Amino acid sequence: MMKSLFSLLAGFILIVGISTTSWALPNDVSYEINATLNTDSHFISGVQTMSFTNRTGIELNELYFHVVSNAFTRGSDTLYQQDLSRFLVVTVDRIYNNPDDNAFLAIESISANGTPLEFSINDTLMKANLIQPLLPDESITVNIQFVHDLVEAAPGNAFAASLAVRSGYRDGTYTIAKWYPQLVVFDEDGWHLDEYRFMGEFYGDFADYTLNITIPQTMKVGASGDFVEETFHDDNTKTQTYHIKRARDVAWAASNLFREEVVEWQGKTIRTLWLNQFLMPSITLDSFQYFSETFGEYAYNTLTAVQVNTAGGMEYPGIVMIASGSVEEISHEVGHEWFYAGVGNNEFDEMWLDEGPTTFASELYRIESRGEPDNIRRMLTHIEGGIPILSTSTDFNSINAFANAHYNKGSSIFWMLDELLGRDIFLASMRAYYQNFKYQNATTQDLIDTFKSVSGQDLDWFFDQWLNTGNKLDVSLQNVQVELQADETQTTTFDLIHQGSIRMPIRVDIISDSTVIESFIWEGLEDQASFSINTPQSPSSIRVDPKRKLLEQDRADNFWLNASTDMAIANNGWMWVAAFAGVLLLLIPATRLIGMG
């Protein structure tokens, strides 16, 4: 007899409304950026006009901007470079192909409402002092002239995740990201003065952008937003204009070598630019359609997927940078357009909030839509590092711990919610979260409140265990005995023992000749429990968490094979092969991180 996982779930759920605790647009911000790419000296000259209305509720005496590209400047000893030395034991020289090259973002001038401003740069943050306080609801126009010198990237930087390079060029193809002075977020906690680090990504306000990109006439450009117009000039250059509203950031790429395919689907434009990965257009379109139908309408009008050879495997609003062109990489980056771009979050403090659902979404797509085996799930390779997932990026002491928490454990939380709530209510919760927080920076609490509201359940017990602790779920099946009864039935007794401190409902299947003859849910509240099950046939095996839907630390003691059955004799060899394969899987989580943002 199969016992319901949660008997309280019944009937229909009506979503009337969910209160929001995060800020949608703490300030009204818009950018117009004129950018000219110099392909001889490999730099961008930019003129940026930012319009800003103070919605903070207090007067502001200064503005802060991210100048991320200065993280890579030789000899600057930025926190990013200190991270490289600490975690990878390499210097920033590793990113450069040319020993004489040097990347930077230089500010040539900055003014507000026509008046020059004093400014200073420390690490990857710029402070601009205002001439007079900017009062609540007052507006200001800030003009910045800048030069972004691009790194000629060494071959090992094809993936952004390798050394966290964001902008650069190689073999005539340019990746342009984190390339302009971007206003720092001011929210209910004040200015978020986070320098760029090797681990941990970004936190940006939603803003409107107009990009005017000038490049050689022979080049194709892929950029955030909708293509507006193209103007040709007498010097063999052209200017392309792109526009995107309510975006956290903008990026672009340019090359003479791009091949292009454009598809229209349900009012959306899916544009693919690739170098040598001919399957990119079909994978991009297929995953885009799946996520649209599963989680909700894409937040923008146009999605551009671009294959690059520097800093690929990264997501930005309206555009994804692809390196290898694998199904895993493409679907992961496209998934970020829902969880990172559509719904934002602070990736310094809560990186799991976009990497977790995105990794889950990619796995779900590959299993449900493409027929890949369910052993692709990262939860099967997770090793608990003991650091709570709700830790800032600087709290992690290794790339393995960082990857395990945000990608592996993060995606596992959604697989477990899927099992706990059932697919219908789970997806209803995901869609409600996406819809209610689209164009906003959400928080973990927003996600929790959404799942509680849609499911009608108090799920604090679940989230507290998995988010706020580094504890483990580890259930051991022990002391199995099978006894023949006088009426020819079989009585099977066994113990389930918690060897970790996390408690979860867990399914147990009793199997005879590949058929489940008894199945039940142990609520798992006590440290251990004993069971006595009567069945008409002798069991050939017992399996704890048979679908592997829980983040179980040690699966080797989750099953028992009856040594007296033919099935056990036939499968005993395979059991050891499977156990050995499981050990090998535990060795690969960090390598699977490389290549995906």
Side-chain angles (χ1 to χ4, degrees), residues 49-61:
T49 301
M50 184 194 75
S51 298
F52 172 83
T53 301
N54 178 9
R55 305 295 189 196
T56 66
I58 64 172
E59 68 176 40
L60 298 176
N61 294 293

Side-chain angles (χ1 to χ4, degrees), residues 434-506:
Y434 175 70
Q435 187 60 42
N436 281 280
F437 295 98
K438 189 187 295 185
Y439 310 120
Q440 301 181 49
N441 279 313
T443 66
T444 294
Q445 192 60 51
D446 293 326
L447 177 78
I448 293 171
D449 290 345
T450 302
F451 269 88
K452 290 167 64 175
S453 176
V454 176
S455 69
Q457 295 188 42
D458 181 2
L459 296 171
D460 287 338
W461 65 270
F462 173 87
F463 287 106
D464 284 346
Q465 293 184 103
W466 291 111
L467 297 179
N468 297 317
T469 78
N471 297 334
K472 303 174 184 178
L473 172 68
D474 188 3
V475 176
S476 177
L477 172 63
Q478 296 185 20
N479 305 320
V480 181
Q481 299 289 332
V482 179
E483 183 176 347
L484 178 64
Q485 302 300 313
D487 61 357
E488 301 297 321
T489 61
Q490 304 282 337
T491 297
T492 303
T493 59
F494 55 89
D495 298 330
L496 293 178
I497 302 173
H498 275 297
Q499 297 183 328
S501 56
I502 283 186
R503 300 293 183 260
M504 287 285 293
I506 190 165

Side-chain angles (χ1 to χ4, degrees), residues 89-279:
V89 197
V90 300
T91 69
V92 74
D93 294 336
R94 182 70 65 90
I95 75 173
Y96 290 94
N97 193 55
N98 184 337
D100 299 322
D101 195 8
N102 202 15
F104 57 81
L105 180 58
I107 306 300
E108 297 188 321
S109 67
I110 179 169
S111 63
N113 297 338
T115 302
L117 300 181
E118 293 183 353
F119 67 92
S120 58
I121 295 177
N122 181 32
D123 203 293
T124 57
L125 290 171
M126 177 175 71
K127 177 183 178 182
N129 299 309
L130 299 178
I131 300 299
Q132 59 186 27
L134 186 66
L135 300 179
D137 298 322
E138 285 189 342
S139 299
I140 193 172
T141 300
V142 179
N143 292 284
I144 303 176
Q145 289 188 317
F146 65 92
V147 173
H148 175 23
D149 190 77
L150 296 163
V151 59
E152 180 185 359
N157 293 281
F159 290 95
S162 300
L163 294 174
V165 174
R166 304 301 172 186
S167 267
Y169 73 95
R170 184 168 179 80
D171 298 331
T173 298
Y174 293 81
T175 305
I176 315 298
K178 312 311 296 182
W179 57 286
Y180 63 96
Q182 184 182 23
L183 185 69
V184 170
V185 171
F186 188 110
D187 63 13
E188 58 267 40
D189 296 321
W191 292 108
H192 281 261
L193 302 178
D194 299 299
E195 294 91 350
Y196 183 70
R197 306 297 295 261
F198 171 61
M199 295 193 303
E201 292 180 348
F202 319 113
Y203 184 28
D205 257 341
F206 285 84
D208 297 342
Y209 288 86
T210 298
L211 299 180
N212 301 306
I213 302 169
T214 300
I215 63 291
Q217 292 182 7
T218 55
M219 279 188 155
K220 290 182 182 292
V221 169
S224 297
D226 303 325
F227 174 77
V228 178
E229 62 180 2
E230 183 175 58
T231 304
F232 290 87
H233 309 296
D234 293 337
D235 60 355
N236 293 320
T237 65
K238 61 184 178 183
T239 299
Q240 292 188 345
T241 298
Y242 295 83
H243 184 66
I244 188 169
K245 298 184 68 175
R246 294 185 291 183
R248 301 178 64 203
D249 196 2
V250 286
W252 53 285
S255 180
N256 295 317
L257 305 175
F258 286 146
R259 306 178 188 195
E260 181 177 10
E261 183 171 316
V262 180
V263 176
E264 301 290 333
W265 182 76
Q266 294 189 359
K268 306 295 184 181
T269 300
I270 299 90
R271 183 172 180 237
T272 309
L273 301 171
W274 74 95
L275 299 169
N276 55 23
Q277 295 298 324
F278 295 94
L279 295 179

Side-chain angles (χ1 to χ4, degrees), residues 279-560:
L279 295 179
M280 259 189 68
S282 62
I283 299 170
T284 301
L285 175 62
D286 190 48
S287 58
F288 179 90
Q289 292 171 329
Y290 182 84
F291 298 141
S292 298
E293 293 166 350
T294 303
F295 301 116
E297 183 181 359
Y298 173 58
Y300 305 106
N301 297 320
T302 303
L303 173 66
T304 300
V306 187
Q307 185 188 1
V308 295
N309 49 24
T310 301
M314 269 304 298
E315 70 282 356
Y316 304 96
I319 186 171
V320 294
M321 308 294 188
I322 302 300
S324 70
S326 69
V327 174
E328 181 179 16
E329 180 194 9
I330 294 172
S331 62
H332 184 93
E333 304 312 331
V334 172
H336 267 305
E337 293 302 304
W338 277 258
F339 306 108
Y340 154 81
V343 177
N345 60 291
N346 183 342
E347 294 177 280
F348 291 105
D349 294 342
E350 297 183 324
M351 189 169 176
W352 89 278
L353 198 52
D354 66 288
E355 293 300 350
T358 296
T359 302
F360 165 81
S362 171
E363 292 171 348
L364 185 68
Y365 160 71
R366 292 162 60 200
I367 294 169
E368 299 285 337
S369 183
R370 302 187 69 90
E372 295 188 35
D374 69 357
N375 62 9
I376 65 169
R377 292 174 296 146
R378 284 176 176 264
M379 69 186 302
L380 301 180
T381 67
H382 176 68
I383 302 175
E384 180 56 57
I387 301 176
I389 199 171
L390 282 183
S391 301
T392 64
S393 58
T394 56
D395 290 332
F396 292 90
N397 55 15
S398 73
I399 188 67
N400 268 343
F402 181 81
N404 269 308
H406 297 118
Y407 293 78
N408 298 10
K409 189 173 183 178
S411 60
S412 304
I413 288 170
F414 293 92
W415 281 113
M416 289 189 290
L417 284 168
D418 180 44
E419 177 75 0
L420 187 67
L421 302 177
R423 179 62 54 86
D424 289 345
I425 291 178
F426 169 76
L427 288 181
S429 302
M430 293 292 286
R431 285 191 287 265
Y433 171 68
Y434 175 70
Q435 187 60 42
N436 281 280
F437 295 98
K438 189 187 295 185
Y439 310 120
Q440 301 181 49
N441 279 313
T443 66
T444 294
Q445 192 60 51
D446 293 326
L447 177 78
I448 293 171
D449 290 345
T450 302
F451 269 88
K452 290 167 64 175
S453 176
V454 176
S455 69
Q457 295 188 42
D458 181 2
L459 296 171
D460 287 338
W461 65 270
F462 173 87
F463 287 106
D464 284 346
Q465 293 184 103
W466 291 111
L467 297 179
N468 297 317
T469 78
N471 297 334
K472 303 174 184 178
L473 172 68
D474 188 3
V475 176
S476 177
L477 172 63
Q478 296 185 20
N479 305 320
V480 181
Q481 299 289 332
V482 179
E483 183 176 347
L484 178 64
Q485 302 300 313
D487 61 357
E488 301 297 321
T489 61
Q490 304 282 337
T491 297
T492 303
T493 59
F494 55 89
D495 298 330
L496 293 178
I497 302 173
H498 275 297
Q499 297 183 328
S501 56
I502 283 186
R503 300 293 183 260
M504 287 285 293
I506 190 165
R507 176 176 171 173
V508 180
D509 283 356
I510 298 177
I511 299 168
S512 178
D513 296 328
S514 302
T515 300
V516 177
I517 57 175
E518 186 74 21
S519 185
F520 67 95
I521 301 295
W522 178 42
E523 295 299 334
L525 299 178
E526 59 268 47
D527 289 340
Q528 69 179 68
S530 298
F531 299 88
S532 179
I533 307 293
N534 189 258
T535 58
Q537 308 108 302
S538 177
S540 54
S541 65
I542 301 174
R543 300 182 186 274
V544 177
D545 185 28
K547 296 181 180 179
R548 301 184 298 177
K549 290 295 183 72
L550 299 179
L551 193 58
E552 237 274 2
Q553 188 66 24
D554 180 8
R555 299 182 186 276
D557 56 4
N558 283 10
F559 61 92
W560 167 84

